[in-house]
Amino acid sequence: MSLTPYRETLALPKITSVLVVATLARIPIAAAAVVLTLHVVEGLHLTYGAAGLVGAASTIGGSIGAPVMGRLIDRWGLRPVLVLTTVAEVVFWLVAQALPYWALLPVAAVGGFLALPAFSVARQAIAALTPESHRLPAFALDSMTTELSFMAGPALGVLVATTAGSRFAMIMLAVGILFAGVGLWLLDPPVRAAHEAPVSGERVPRRSWLKPRFVAILAVTMAATLVLSGTDVAVVAVLRETGQTEWAGLVLSLWALFSLIGGFLYGMVKRGVPMLLLFTPMALLTIPVGLVGDHWALLALLLIPAGSLCAPTITASTDAISRLIPAGARGEAMGLHNSALTVGVACGAPLAGLAIDNWGPAWGFVAVGAVGVLVALLVLPTELRHRRDTLVPATTPPPAAERSVAAPPAHTAEPVAADPSDHGADSAAAGRPVHTADSAGAVTSARATD
């Protein structure tokens, strides 16, 4: 493998700036959940269940708000939405630290709804700034930098909340969000490519892009983060039961490292891998982890295969959406993608927890892995139909006698962006016969990933 795809991608105008600013902007956002939890438990002296309700309210608000903010970006442009969400979220964190619990619960939902859309904005900008040939490494870099943000954010949040208090940590989050919003506003990355129609306020009908293929991508995205968040809980539960809780941080850090390495390697492949070929083995390989090993070193070793597929799965889903959705609806589509990521994270932990409480720690892995496999089976027909519809049959040339007869000029079809999972798309665009492996055989022999 060669580093050339990364070098060429980082040489593109504004890409490096977008990745750096987006990484820094995501750190306070990544810290928000743990700071909010610690505030309810230690600042308000309530239970973890009460903290979970506040987290759920914020998650629900964010899941609804992300596509709405994306829709506004599609119609108004980026800067007005950045002003709206930055001001709203700064006010939320400044006010929330002084609220009683009964008021914090509904305000958290509003704060989630108006959250700064740093994740989806970065992905929109990448889609606008990169040609299709460089989107895969660009989104791989985005996935890896997101992983770094989530490694740094919660750790910093816990450090500040436990040393200076949760209220001070919430004020620091307001400061961090302010810097993040101002940084993105100053950078003002494009959300439309130069060859795409500029933001004009015109709506792109949802029926033109909200189709089964897109829904299938969202379902796999949600299932992927469900497996990830459920695995987090299951790792801690297994090590706690065996008296090795002190190793949980190291095991989870190694798991994140496996994901980073997998994402890095995936960004160097020349052609994307079909979505289900990444997600299905990730889900399958998660199932036996807790059943086979309970020593921390063995657990870390068993997590390598599934962990290495995490970032590639998210990268592949983002890349597929960027190619599938028209530019005029990209903001809303990326917002829905972000919602799928969020909903999956919110569902994974309680699902694993339910299995752990009823059958034991090892079954947390089984529960989330099995749900992932079920989702893969449910979307398989849609994926196979999509791949079948994109194959262009070879044409038989007419006899020589017929070729001598004058024929009207052929109309050249407008080029269509190819999904990285559509093998043979380049040949189809060039008018050459396409020779591909059977889709069903490829999918059933083995996917998942923002």
Side-chain angles (χ1 to χ4, degrees):
M1 290 186 175
S2 169
L3 293 176
T4 301
Y6 286 122
R7 285 197 294 265
E8 292 178 349
T9 300
L10 291 172
L12 294 171
K14 280 197 172 184
I15 282 292
T16 301
S17 300
V18 167
L19 290 171
V20 171
V21 173
T23 302
L24 296 174
R26 289 162 171 164
I27 290 176
I29 298 172
V34 69
V35 169
L36 201 55
T37 298
L38 290 174
H39 175 66
V40 173
V41 173
E42 298 184 358
L44 300 180
H45 307 292
L46 297 174
T47 65
Y48 280 99
L53 288 177
V54 175
S58 178
T59 298
I60 292 170
S63 300
I64 297 171
V68 174
M69 295 303 113
R71 185 76 164 178
L72 293 179
I73 291 173
D74 289 333
R75 298 192 65 192
W76 296 353
L78 180 58
R79 278 185 161 175
V81 177
L82 288 176
V83 172
L84 170 65
T85 54
T86 300
V87 171
E89 195 164 5
V90 168
V91 170
F92 164 72
W93 287 109
L94 292 176
V95 170
Q97 55 87 27
L99 293 176
Y101 181 77
W102 63 266
L104 180 60
L105 199 59
V107 170
V110 177
F113 182 86
L114 293 170
L116 182 70
F119 292 88
S120 56
V121 165
R123 288 161 184 157
Q124 280 182 263
I126 288 171
L129 288 168
T130 56
E132 291 183 8
S133 58
H134 289 75
R135 283 189 186 168
L136 195 59
F139 282 125
L141 287 167
D142 175 73
S143 181
M144 288 186 285
T145 55
T146 298
E147 195 83 58
L148 292 175
S149 297
F150 273 95
M151 291 171 69
L156 289 173
V158 170
L159 177 64
V160 175
T162 53
T163 56
S166 61
R167 284 185 167 85
F168 181 76
M170 294 171 82
I171 294 174
M172 288 298 97
L173 280 181
V175 174
I177 293 295
L178 178 61
F179 278 110
V182 170
L184 288 169
W185 190 89
L186 291 174
L187 181 63
D188 191 24
V191 293
R192 304 281 178 88
H195 66 277
E196 295 170 340
V199 176
S200 62
E202 295 182 3
R203 291 189 175 188
V204 176
R206 288 191 183 93
R207 63 178 179 274
S208 67
W209 57 270
L210 191 54
K211 296 180 178 180
R213 163 69 171 162
F214 178 69
V215 174
I217 295 172
L218 294 184
V220 171
T221 302
M222 182 178 68
T225 52
L226 181 147
V227 172
L228 301 184
S229 63
T231 298
D232 278 339
V233 174
V235 165
V236 174
V238 167
L239 294 178
R240 184 171 179 268
E241 186 181 60
T242 56
Q244 304 173 83
T245 308
E246 67 274 13
W247 295 102
L250 176 60
V251 172
L252 292 175
S253 296
L254 288 173
W255 188 44
L257 179 62
F258 304 151
S259 177
L260 280 172
I261 295 172
F264 179 76
L265 294 175
Y266 183 67
M268 292 190 290
V269 302
K270 292 184 178 180
R271 302 183 66 88
V273 178
M275 189 169 57
L276 288 182
L277 285 183
L278 291 170
F279 175 63
T280 304
M282 173 183 157
L284 280 171
L285 292 168
T286 298
I287 293 174
V289 170
L291 300 174
V292 176
D294 56 6
H295 187 273
W296 73 266
L298 180 57
L299 200 61
L301 188 64
L302 292 170
L303 284 170
I304 292 177
S308 63
L309 293 170
C310 296
T313 299
I314 303 301
T315 300
S317 68
T318 309
D319 185 43
I321 288 176
S322 74
R323 299 169 186 268
L324 187 68
I325 304 300
R330 190 182 291 141
E332 185 173 8
M334 288 298 183
L336 286 168
H337 181 258
N338 195 68
S339 296
L341 292 167
T342 304
V343 170
V345 169
C347 293
L351 175 62
L354 184 64
I356 290 165
D357 290 340
N358 285 279
W359 303 303
W363 289 91
F365 295 102
V366 176
V368 295
V371 170
V373 173
L374 177 60
V375 171
L377 291 173
L378 290 175
V379 304
L380 178 60
T382 300
E383 286 295 301
L384 293 178
R385 185 163 53 249
H386 166 73
R387 290 175 60 73
R388 183 185 65 241
D389 292 345
T390 54
L391 295 179
V392 180
T395 56
T396 304
E402 294 183 15
R403 290 200 299 269
S404 63
V405 179
H411 297 284
T412 304
E414 184 179 345
V416 178
D419 188 307
S421 64
D422 299 335
H423 303 290
D426 293 339
S427 298
R432 298 189 297 272
V434 177
H435 302 286
T436 62
D438 177 67
S439 303
V443 172
T444 54
S445 66
R447 151 141 165 71
T449 271
D450 188 152

